Amino acid sequence: MNGIAGAVELIEVSPRDGLQNESVPVDTTTKLELIARLLDAGQRRIEVTSFVNPNKVPQMADAEALCERLPHHPDARYAGLVLNQRGYRRARASGRLHEVCLVVCASDSFGQRNQGQTIEQGLAETAAIVRAARADGIASSVTITVAFGCPFEGEIDTARVVGIAQALAEQQPDELVLADTIGVAVPSQVSAVIAAVRERIGNALPMRGHFHNTRNTAIANIVAALQAGVSRFDASVGGVGGCPFAPAATGNVASEDVAYLCQRMGLALSVDLERLNDTARWLGERLGRSLPGMLSRAGGFPPRAAG
Amino acid sequence: MNGIAGAVELIEVSPRDGLQNESVPVDTTTKLELIARLLDAGQRRIEVTSFVNPNKVPQMADAEALCERLPHHPDARYAGLVLNQRGYRRARASGRLHEVCLVVCASDSFGQRNQGQTIEQGLAETAAIVRAARADGIASSVTITVAFGCPFEGEIDTARVVGIAQALAEQQPDELVLADTIGVAVPSQVSAVIAAVRERIGNALPMRGHFHNTRNTAIANIVAALQAGVSRFDASVGGVGGCPFAPAATGNVASEDVAYLCQRMGLALSVDLERLNDTARWLGERLGRSLPGMLSRAGGFPPRAAG
């Protein structure tokens, strides 16, 4: 439809973004089993942990211990979130990460609450880290969070997102991520924001989408992004990972739901849907609750047995 | 985005399609409260019941009793499902229905299991009922079920759907509905099927979409249908109503989720989101379970208090 074709790349964020707000502690061995299962299912780019203050995010306190034990898979590309230069130094010292994920908020209110940074402070921090990572041979992506709406400021002006994207493009990271952190975006908005950013920064910097299914729009937003030429998306197996500001709500779009969409639309995406479904069910059992991803309950189509 | 503009019309199907598979009996008074709440929230076209065999669908055994007590609202348009001429005569005798909903399956296997009819038998039945309804001044819509995939036959050839649509167009009902009864469709398929049907039957017969969110694609499919020029959609408050062939799975797309999408995309749709959310929560309490619709848990955006 409307020029959607080619290959899609998923960035599996369940070990980090998915688990970080889980109230039940998840031990390192379980995280490693999750990562091994994701690799078995065909996921290759995996956000495995974050190097942040363990007092603030206890679930990620085992970052170094996890990195030491990461599977040595020839095609795996492991990523870690860092919010500042101290975190970056820890990530680099782990010696196992292919890329670092950085963050700038599109709203000062959200940025100050979430990571104690204004937009300007965030941009200064990413500039230093992107430069250091480049020198160290580590790839970097920068996510603009709450790019489609903020729980404190409401609507976010597209011009502000475009301005941040331009400042980031000048820093020359390897990827720019537009994030609907609280799941409020709708497809027309996704189209408009991507088009506005592209118009300003051109096509040199690859873009990636991060959508939450909080209001049931994530899959539609991914389709809108695909129509706008974006083909890389964050996703979390089982849809694990909510937003601390909306505890009852669904968060990250489920990897298996995105994979079903893409494969049934004829897009190239080398993941095994049944193994992703198995992993979603396994993770739900480990976390002791039903996860919001839908495909693992419904099954693929056509059913394999029916050909 | 891509030419989506104008007004959207929702057909609220919760009292019939939503409740028909509920295992807990829902009494007539509760159904009437649901209908009154839906009217309060701005829904105007409501599928209130079905005139089918009460032994097969006990939840709809009160069809006549319900119709007698339907609110006398000046703008309400009440619809009832009928599967055969006997059902049509009951619907007409109720004296309260503005339209009747008819069904033809796109798969013989599904049709025979679901209503004991092949495609050919279904078309013969609809021809007779559409003609009778026209003579009686009652509007008629015909739904092509499993138009995007069948649980027994797998993929449904688009040419078959087009053939059925053409046969139906010749019967001149007031509306043609394409239904993804088991929730397997993806947006590229929705675009392709709508375009193929339109190419064959032209623009005279209004089309409507009926999408299930079983595999998380309903909202994306609605956007694809909007892009293809369809602006009428079935929806069920709270997302109530599954498919008997996939009991654990989500069924009908939630009215409030569709309304959020449309209103935030700037489309004209006169419903009150908060009242729909209230109704979804109320219905979940009545049915004693969490309903799959998402907006009633997450809330609208921007929040009203924040302006």
Side-chain angles (χ1 to χ4, degrees):
Chain A
M1 65 185 289
N2 303 342
I4 299 183
V8 172
E9 184 177 45
L10 296 189
I11 292 77
E12 175 64 49
V13 302
S14 56
R16 197 285 298 177
D17 196 24
L19 296 180
Q20 72 175 2
N21 292 315
E22 282 295 320
S23 50
V24 179
V26 179
D27 63 33
T28 309
T29 302
T30 302
K31 290 178 186 175
L32 288 164
E33 181 170 352
L34 172 60
I35 291 164
R37 284 173 175 268
L38 292 166
L39 288 167
D40 269 354
Q43 294 288 52
R44 291 294 172 263
R45 285 182 72 183
I46 305 178
E47 193 187 38
V48 292
T49 191
S50 64
F51 296 87
V52 295
N53 186 336
N55 296 320
K56 291 194 178 158
V57 189
Q59 197 71 272
M60 297 292 128
D62 64 347
E64 278 82 359
L66 180 94
C67 286
E68 272 182 26
R69 295 166 60 193
L70 282 171
H72 288 271
H73 187 293
D75 302 322
R77 284 181 57 81
Y78 296 126
L81 177 77
V82 303
L83 295 180
N84 50 41
Q85 295 178 64
R86 179 177 150 74
Y88 174 70
R89 288 190 293 271
R90 287 174 59 200
R92 183 183 52 192
S94 80
R96 292 302 311 279
L97 296 188
H98 303 84
E99 56 185 283
V100 286
C101 310
L102 318 177
V103 168
V104 173
C105 285
S107 132
D108 282 334
S109 319
F110 193 91
Q112 282 172 324
R113 277 182 179 78
N114 199 54
Q115 64 211 70
Q117 278 178 346
T118 62
I119 297 171
E120 285 306 314
Q121 290 167 330
L123 286 171
E125 203 70 19
T126 57
I129 301 171
V130 167
R131 196 167 45 237
R134 195 183 307 121
D136 292 331
I138 296 174
S140 61
S141 68
V142 188
T143 294
I144 305 178
T145 61
V146 297
F148 301 90
C150 168
F152 310 113
E153 298 188 10
E155 299 286 1
I156 297 292
D157 190 355
T158 301
R160 193 198 289 175
V161 178
V162 169
I164 296 169
Q166 183 173 24
L168 290 172
E170 289 164 7
Q171 300 176 6
Q172 300 186 312
D174 295 278
E175 220 170 32
L176 176 66
V177 189
L178 296 177
D180 181 24
T181 310
I182 59 168
V184 296
V186 289
S188 52
Q189 187 187 15
V190 171
S191 304
V193 173
I194 292 173
V197 170
R198 274 274 167 256
E199 192 185 346
R200 182 72 67 86
I201 71 169
N203 289 309
L205 181 58
M207 281 170 64
R208 196 168 111 200
H210 177 103
F211 296 109
H212 279 213
N213 203 35
T214 317
R215 288 165 183 83
N216 211 349
T217 59
I219 296 287
N221 290 336
I222 286 173
V223 175
L226 284 165
Q227 289 181 317
V230 171
S231 61
R232 305 175 184 201
F233 299 97
D234 289 350
S236 181
V237 75
V240 71
C243 174
F245 302 104
T250 299
N252 286 300
V253 67
S255 307
E256 63 276 19
D257 294 2
V258 181
Y260 173 80
L261 171 87
C262 293
Q263 291 185 344
R264 197 157 150 72
M265 284 179 68
L267 302 172
L269 175 61
S270 297
V271 296
D272 184 313
L273 217 49
E274 300 219 352
R275 287 188 186 180
L276 277 183
N277 278 342
D278 286 344
T279 303
R281 286 186 286 257
W282 168 84
L283 185 58
E285 285 166 19
R286 285 304 175 110
L287 298 174
R289 62 190 177 86
S290 172
L291 298 181
M294 298 190 191
L295 204 77
S296 64
R297 277 171 280 162
F301 183 83
R304 283 200 182 175
Chain B
M1 65 186 288
N2 303 343
I4 299 183
V8 172
E9 184 177 44
L10 295 189
I11 291 77
E12 175 64 48
V13 301
S14 56
R16 197 284 299 176
D17 196 24
L19 296 180
Q20 70 175 3
N21 293 316
E22 282 295 319
S23 50
V24 179
V26 179
D27 63 31
T28 309
T29 302
T30 302
K31 291 178 186 175
L32 288 163
E33 181 171 351
L34 171 61
I35 292 164
R37 284 173 175 268
L38 292 166
L39 288 167
D40 270 353
Q43 294 287 52
R44 290 296 172 261
R45 284 181 74 182
I46 306 179
E47 192 188 38
V48 293
T49 190
S50 64
F51 296 87
V52 294
N53 186 337
N55 296 320
K56 289 194 180 158
V57 188
Q59 197 71 270
M60 298 292 128
D62 64 347
E64 278 82 357
L66 179 95
C67 285
E68 271 181 27
R69 296 166 60 193
L70 282 172
H72 288 269
H73 187 292
D75 303 322
R77 284 180 58 80
Y78 297 126
L81 177 77
V82 303
L83 295 179
N84 50 41
Q85 295 178 64
R86 178 177 151 73
Y88 174 71
R89 286 190 293 271
R90 287 174 59 201
R92 181 183 54 192
S94 80
R96 293 300 312 278
L97 296 187
H98 303 84
E99 56 185 282
V100 284
C101 310
L102 319 177
V103 169
V104 173
C105 285
S107 130
D108 282 334
S109 318
F110 192 91
Q112 282 173 323
R113 277 182 180 78
N114 199 54
Q115 64 210 68
Q117 277 178 347
T118 62
I119 298 171
E120 285 307 316
Q121 290 167 330
L123 286 171
E125 203 71 20
T126 57
I129 302 171
V130 167
R131 194 167 46 237
R134 195 183 309 121
D136 293 330
I138 296 174
S140 62
S141 68
V142 188
T143 294
I144 305 178
T145 61
V146 297
F148 300 91
C150 168
F152 310 114
E153 298 188 11
E155 298 287 0
I156 297 292
D157 189 357
T158 301
R160 192 198 290 174
V161 178
V162 169
I164 296 169
Q166 182 173 23
L168 290 172
E170 289 164 8
Q171 300 176 5
Q172 299 184 314
D174 295 279
E175 219 170 33
L176 176 66
V177 190
L178 295 177
D180 181 24
T181 310
I182 59 168
V184 296
V186 289
S188 52
Q189 187 187 15
V190 171
S191 305
V193 173
I194 292 173
V197 170
R198 273 276 166 255
E199 192 184 345
R200 181 71 67 87
I201 72 169
N203 289 309
L205 181 58
M207 281 170 64
R208 194 168 113 200
H210 177 102
F211 296 108
H212 280 213
N213 202 34
T214 317
R215 289 166 184 82
N216 210 349
T217 58
I219 295 288
N221 290 336
I222 285 173
V223 175
L226 284 164
Q227 289 181 316
V230 171
S231 61
R232 305 175 184 200
F233 300 97
D234 289 351
S236 180
V237 75
V240 71
C243 173
F245 301 105
T250 299
N252 287 301
V253 67
S255 308
E256 63 275 20
D257 294 1
V258 180
Y260 173 80
L261 171 88
C262 292
Q263 290 184 345
R264 197 157 149 74
M265 284 179 69
L267 303 172
L269 175 62
S270 297
V271 296
D272 184 313
L273 217 48
E274 300 218 353
R275 288 187 185 179
L276 277 184
N277 278 342
D278 286 345
T279 303
R281 286 185 286 256
W282 168 85
L283 186 58
E285 284 164 20
R286 284 306 175 110
L287 297 176
R289 61 189 178 87
S290 173
L291 298 181
M294 297 190 191
L295 204 78
S296 64
R297 279 171 279 162
F301 182 83
R304 283 198 182 177

